[in-house]
Amino acid sequence: MDATRTLIQMIGSVALLLWGVRMVRTGVTQALGAQLRRMVAVSSSNRLSAFFTGMFATTLLQSSTAMALIIGSFAGRGLIGLSAALAVMLGADVGSTLAAQLLAFDIKWFWAVLVAGGYVLYSSRESAVGAARAIIGLGFLLLALQELSIAAAALREAPTMRVVLGAVGGEPLIALGIAALLTWAAHSSLAIVLFVMSLTGSGVIPVPVALILVLGANIGGAFAPWVALSGSPPAARRVPLGNLLMRGVIGLAAIPFVGFFAEEMALLVQDPARNVVLFHTAFNLVVALVGLPLVGVIASLLQRWGNEPEGAVDEGKPRHLEKSVLDTPSEALACALRESLRMGDLVTSMLQNAMAAIEGNDQKLVKDIEKADDTVDRLHEAIKLYLVEASKAPMSEEESRRLLEILTFTTNLEHIGDIIDKNLVELAAKKVRRQLSFSAEGLEEIRAFHGRVIETMRLAANVFATRDVGLARRLFADKSAMRTAERNAAESHFVRLKDGRPESIETSSIHIDIIRDLKRIHGHLTATAYPLLEAQGDLAESRLKQKSTQQAQDDLSLSVGGRA
């Protein structure tokens, strides 16, 4: 029972440790994320300034993985050169070790002060939510380390633990691989190093084994952002790959010497836990000292890898969904908005091509529309998944509302793409197969109706981007005008049928279906105005006009009188 309780305590403590690291990162990002990104973007004039900028930013952010995602996105957009980006990453690796140095001191008791102070700050100042979150996260880190120390002390004499550690200690590559995998899964080398430090300080893990686990944590910490950017352009992936190569080569080269390092460090510092974090910092300093003079050479080698052939542009690959800003909801929503507008441009192009396909007999246009619909579907899925990730960060009520607006807008665009691909294009193909032609008047009606929908598409995109209530009212009012236009088109078509126009009779079903589908598209577009108008209180729950009580009584009397 004691062993089970100890194991549960350790699992819970590790979970609290990971959560504390995440709270510190997201809190700092929420409070200073935009400023840190700007600072990194403008401070890359030379290697040294890039190195120290990366070190300072990551000391605050406490996540070299997050910094790698930021720098990778900058490199992917050409905002920073590869040599400077690698220098920033070397500084980020050193900066991420400084918190471990602080937490190695015996200040675990301070957790209660931090949690209480953070809560007071969170409750009293809405503008300091990010800072309060970071402070509470730091308190959780100290509490987790305290609980880990208690659990580790209970495990120190367990026979099973000695057998497992003996087996792992005899196979350094296996120990390194386990630590790397754990770090990749946790996305935090700091959390794994602190976990190893706690077990070492309690005597559960001997120092040489702990040093190998630290090497694995550093390699795993470099591996995580490379995997996270796997779907990004080669320019973005080269940054974490270069960092992984530098850490990996030096980490593997250091394995044979861990016993020597452990002995020498024990002569300088008696505390085993302190030796773990000192080795963690020393390793990253060595990587920086070796790597900084070579970043130009490494960048040149990486430039040859993964170049995309010219002209091979995948329209279905998102261009604006930056993973590096997911912890900052306002920026993440701005990225999703830009991608949604690009999706809207693709749907507009599909709609324009659909009219050309209806008028002519160009089969290539039909194929282009089918490919474009696949592209729209992929973008819709990417934006939806991106918004799901962004929603994991703390959001204000206004940000949550904006997220729902973006999701609704893109869903409507995806429906419009399906209507164009599955309905309008099929009607165009049917017209070609049967070798039919619209009457001059009928074709002009379809053109006019289509033109109105194109204008509504532009207005809907403007309403979505600006959230202007006046534009939203115009868009909603256009729904009534479109119903009138649809009724007039139907009446004109019926007149031509009565007159016995052969072209109108042959194309009647196609003509009516095209108008109906364009009307459906228009309905999806006008839905863009609903959230804004609902927030303003401009929309009633029912569109039916409310009759006065007296008028309702008169109607009832007439009804009863008629039945009598």
Side-chain angles (χ1 to χ4, degrees), residues 243-321:
N243 189 42
L244 175 60
L245 290 175
M246 289 186 285
R247 271 188 172 187
V249 170
I250 297 177
L252 292 173
I255 291 177
F257 305 101
V258 291
F260 171 76
F261 294 147
E263 292 175 2
E264 292 298 316
M265 293 174 71
L267 296 176
L268 297 174
V269 180
Q270 299 299 317
D271 184 3
R274 169 63 60 183
N275 286 336
V276 170
V277 295
L278 284 176
F279 179 77
H280 180 43
T281 300
F283 170 75
N284 284 281
L285 283 173
V286 170
V287 174
L289 290 172
V290 174
L292 266 179
L294 300 176
V295 290
V297 176
I298 297 171
S300 298
L301 293 174
L302 291 172
Q303 292 284 4
R304 303 174 186 175
W305 166 78
N307 286 320
E308 293 179 345
E310 292 192 19
V313 178
D314 185 1
E315 292 290 340
K317 183 179 292 186
R319 298 179 184 175
H320 308 296
L321 302 182

Side-chain angles (χ1 to χ4, degrees), residues 132-172:
R133 184 179 177 86
I135 293 171
I136 294 173
L138 188 58
F140 285 170
L141 272 175
L142 294 176
L143 175 60
L145 290 174
Q146 178 176 292
E147 293 301 309
L148 273 174
S149 298
I150 297 172
L155 288 174
R156 183 169 48 202
E157 302 302 328
T160 304
M161 181 63 69
R162 286 200 295 270
V163 172
V164 171
L165 291 177
V168 172
E171 297 291 342

Side-chain angles (χ1 to χ4, degrees), residues 14-29:
V14 171
L16 183 62
L17 181 67
L18 292 172
W19 184 250
V21 171
R22 176 179 171 79
M23 285 191 69
V24 172
R25 184 180 73 248
T26 56
V28 172
T29 302

Side-chain angles (χ1 to χ4, degrees), residues 431 434-446 492-512:
K431 173 178 169 287
R434 296 182 181 179
Q435 297 183 342
L436 302 176
S437 298
F438 294 110
S439 66
E441 295 88 345
L443 182 59
E444 190 58 37
E445 282 176 3
I446 293 174
S492 299
H493 180 68
F494 186 66
V495 169
R496 289 193 296 276
L497 292 178
K498 286 176 60 179
D499 292 341
R501 299 282 295 274
E503 302 97 326
S504 299
I505 294 172
E506 291 175 341
T507 61
S508 179
S509 62
I510 296 177
H511 181 102
I512 293 173

Side-chain angles (χ1 to χ4, degrees), residues 88-106:
V88 171
M89 283 310 307
L90 291 172
D93 294 338
V94 175
S96 66
T97 70
L98 299 183
Q101 293 291 338
L102 173 65
L103 295 170
F105 289 103
D106 188 18

